[in-house]
Amino acid sequence: MTKISLKEGISWVGVVDWNIRDFHDYVTSCGSSYNAYLVQDEKTALIDTVKATFCNELITHISELTPLEKIDYIIVNHVEMDHSSGLPIIAKLAKNAKIYATARGKEELIKHYGTEFERVEIVKTGDKISLGKKTLTFLEAPMLHWPDSMFTYVIEDKVLMPNDAFGQHLASSGHFDDEVDQVVLMKEAITYYSNILTPFAPLIVKKIQEVIDMKLPIDIIAPSHGIIWRKDPVKIINAYIEWATGKTVKPKVAIVFDTMWDSTNKMARAIGDGIASQGVEAKLFKLRCTENTEIVTEITDSKIVLVGSPTLNNGMFPSVGMFLTYITGLKPKGKLWGFFGSYGWGGGAIRNMTKMTKEAGFEVIEPSIELKWVPTEEEIKKCFDYGVQIAQKAKT
Ligand code: FEO
């Protein structure tokens, strides 16, 4: 493989996963990569490994730069298996290497891979490991993405390796931000943020502030998925601050619905027309036609989300239940939520959707709009007027 160099002595040794399309229910249409880095000085450190199924490729990439037994340190930034399941194999080959992780990381490594990882040494924020002229230091980053997560920083080269943070599920033959289409890159970055990191928005803002306070100059951000930010690392930091603080939110309404015999679809379209009549953007997403991954990304810059469901068996439609399960887990902050739907006799979908979202702490617009059987012309007008009211709320 052509050497992929971040700075002198710092190389990408990861793997590109062109074929992955499902990353724990996140639809990864553009594939992904598992980035690992080799830092070579008087001592050699491997930062993270890869998914076990790709371990042979990682071994080949490392071997092109150094024999594995010459690795002195293995840094485990994060234990989730896309980064660590190759570790048991690598640890056997790099038999002289000391392994470092956070306290939670050590605990999780033992639970994942057995007691041989009791030898892992614990590092905390500010700890340093000298490699010679280069020094590694660490920044604990719990919940970005798991309790064990940490960032590794190469002080002299100003290279930050934050593992999951600032990543994208994007397979590419180019490894750097100046080698890929910027629109595709930022689309995959926001999709990744929305589907992986939304629940941790306040922690992201705090962690970025911590990095600023530590006065760590950053030349390169080298995440563990996708493209490395070397041309413009500030671009992704600013984007994260904007997404996490809701600065990109605009008067936009996402209408997420499913339909059984077309009544809820008719309602969705009439509500959307009412919203658009006020100059406010409305986007309709029929569940079973659109992946949750895409809908969640669209919600990041939406002010209001309307969810529509027909009543089935006295409750909400199954696809709506799946969507609400996903979104109430992600808990996007600062949105308003409204509900609409049709029913035949007893109803139940609106009641269940309202209960589920209120229990998750969502702010719900009431009253909802619920119609029996097929909407009449007059009821379609009522939906349009509801859309007009929603547009007014979106503008405030
Ligand atoms: Fe890429 Fe949380 O693992």
Side-chain angles (χ1 to χ4, degrees):
M1 181 187 74
T2 310
K3 188 172 169 182
I4 314 288
S5 184
L6 282 71
K7 293 252 180 161
E8 196 183 334
I10 306 180
S11 308
W12 178 89
V13 289
V15 297
V16 178
D17 187 349
W18 292 96
N19 301 329
I20 188 168
R21 291 294 179 270
D22 178 351
F23 191 97
H24 56 51
D25 211 29
Y26 169 156
V27 177
T28 47
S29 319
C30 297
S32 191
S33 72
Y34 315 108
N35 299 339
Y37 302 97
L38 198 72
V39 185
Q40 292 174 281
D41 197 346
E42 288 160 30
K43 302 274 187 185
T44 297
L46 174 66
I47 318 298
D48 291 315
T49 65
V50 301
K51 229 185 216 184
T53 42
F54 292 94
C55 207
N56 281 346
E57 207 173 322
L58 171 66
I59 291 166
T60 302
H61 291 168
I62 297 170
S63 302
E64 286 166 358
L65 298 169
T66 187
L68 270 82
E69 59 270 22
K70 292 259 175 75
I71 295 174
D72 299 285
Y73 308 116
I74 300 172
I75 312 299
V76 181
N77 276 327
H78 179 29
V79 179
E80 192 163 10
M81 285 180 275
D82 48 331
H83 308 291
S84 76
S85 55
L87 178 66
I89 304 162
I90 296 295
K92 277 194 177 66
L93 297 170
K95 49 184 185 293
N96 303 312
K98 289 183 174 178
I99 305 172
Y100 293 90
T102 59
R104 288 295 289 268
K106 178 175 179 174
E107 200 181 292
E108 292 172 23
L109 283 171
I110 294 166
K111 194 67 179 65
H112 277 72
Y113 307 116
T115 51
E116 67 174 287
F117 289 96
E118 276 170 5
R119 70 186 179 93
V120 169
E121 297 187 26
I122 292 170
V123 286
K124 302 186 294 305
T125 293
D127 286 352
K128 292 184 174 66
I129 296 176
S130 174
L131 304 181
K133 292 189 187 69
K134 297 182 192 293
T135 315
L136 305 182
T137 189
F138 308 101
L139 177 61
E140 290 167 89
M143 301 319 295
L144 299 177
H145 170 219
W146 278 6
D148 58 84
S149 296
M150 72 172 181
F151 299 173
T152 295
Y153 179 71
V154 190
I155 296 176
E156 294 76 9
D157 294 297
K158 308 180 186 75
V159 175
L160 183 70
M161 297 160 179
N163 198 269
D164 275 343
F166 309 119
Q168 335 85 45
H169 284 311
L170 177 57
S172 170
S173 56
H175 296 276
F176 296 97
D177 55 347
D178 48 287
E179 297 177 326
V180 295
D181 184 295
Q182 294 301 297
V183 174
V184 173
L185 175 60
M186 293 314 289
K187 166 131 190 349
E188 292 312 315
I190 191 173
T191 302
Y192 181 95
Y193 167 85
S194 302
N195 284 275
I196 303 272
L197 296 170
T198 290
F200 315 116
L203 293 173
I204 288 166
V205 178
K206 215 171 133 198
K207 193 53 59 184
I208 289 174
Q209 190 55 50
E210 208 178 315
V211 172
I212 292 167
D213 292 346
M214 287 170 82
K215 298 192 186 342
L216 299 181
I218 295 172
D219 274 3
I220 294 179
I221 296 177
S224 287
H225 293 293
I227 301 305
I228 299 163
W229 307 88
R230 75 174 169 192
K231 183 180 171 219
D232 194 1
V234 173
K235 183 175 183 175
I236 191 63
I237 293 176
N238 286 341
Y240 263 54
I241 292 171
E242 290 191 349
W243 297 330
T245 56
K247 279 208 179 76
T248 55
V249 171
K250 53 189 179 183
K252 169 182 159 186
V253 183
I255 303 175
V256 184
F257 69 100
D258 215 326
T259 195
M260 193 160 32
W261 291 109
D262 213 35
S263 294
T264 308
N265 177 43
K266 285 177 178 153
M267 293 178 77
R269 295 179 75 89
I271 293 167
D273 287 346
I275 293 167
S277 75
Q278 302 304 300
V280 169
E281 183 183 7
K283 284 186 100 167
L284 275 68
F285 303 99
K286 184 187 165 195
L287 292 158
R288 292 186 295 159
C289 291
T290 321
E291 299 290 353
N292 283 337
T293 307
E294 182 187 335
I295 296 172
V296 164
T297 307
E298 291 282 351
I299 286 174
T300 294
D301 69 355
S302 299
K303 185 157 185 188
I304 298 177
V305 187
L306 301 179
V307 186
S309 176
T311 289
L312 178 69
N313 302 327
N314 301 324
M316 66 184 98
F317 207 65
S319 58
V320 177
M322 284 170 70
F323 167 70
L324 287 182
T325 299
Y326 191 43
I327 201 73
T328 52
L330 287 168
K331 286 190 175 37
K333 305 268 180 305
K335 314 287 174 196
L336 293 172
W337 295 79
F339 301 103
F340 65 95
S342 61
Y343 68 100
W345 50 101
I350 298 282
R351 184 177 60 241
N352 289 2
M353 291 192 290
T354 305
K355 182 170 181 285
M356 188 172 177
T357 47
K358 280 189 174 175
E359 282 173 1
F362 287 15
E363 191 176 341
V364 174
I365 301 165
E366 290 179 294
S368 303
I369 181 161
E370 193 171 24
L371 302 177
K372 196 168 184 180
W373 298 121
V374 176
T376 61
E377 212 170 293
E378 194 182 322
E379 286 169 331
I380 286 294
K381 172 75 174 49
K382 204 172 151 187
C383 291
F384 182 93
D385 292 344
Y386 176 76
V388 170
Q389 287 168 33
I390 292 293
Q392 299 312 327
K393 282 190 191 297
K395 284 181 183 175
T396 55

